[in-house]
Amino acid sequence: MTEQRSALRVVEGIDLSGKVCVITGASSGLGRESARALAVAGAHVVLAARNRDALAETTGWIAGETPGARIS
């Protein structure tokens, strides 16, 4: 039996305050979910992607889901 884990469950209980994480492919899929989870854990998350419009949407989504998130 395989346990499914979400990105949020992976960082549960981990404090990443003071850490900087760079996520490539942050505009969708695994990159987007990973960026959100790292922001929830307190990291300053630097988002990178080829599609600027999709990246802007991801930035707004993370900011809405995680007030006070440090993203750039």
Side-chain angles (χ1 to χ4, degrees), residues 24-42:
T24 60
S27 62
S28 66
L30 184 58
R32 181 177 169 145
E33 287 297 324
S34 298
R36 177 178 67 139
L38 293 169
V40 166

Side-chain angles (χ1 to χ4, degrees), residues 6-71:
S6 72
L8 289 175
R9 286 188 58 203
V10 170
V11 298
E12 190 173 304
I14 297 174
D15 180 13
L16 295 176
S17 299
K19 303 292 182 184
V20 177
C21 300
V22 178
I23 300 293
T24 60
S27 62
S28 66
L30 184 58
R32 181 177 169 145
E33 287 297 324
S34 298
R36 177 178 67 139
L38 293 169
V40 166
H44 175 184
V45 183
V46 179
L47 306 173
R50 290 180 290 190
N51 184 325
R52 287 182 183 217
D53 293 335
L55 190 58
E57 183 180 310
T58 295
T59 301
W61 176 69
I62 292 172
E65 293 278 319
T66 310
R70 297 181 55 218
I71 49 180

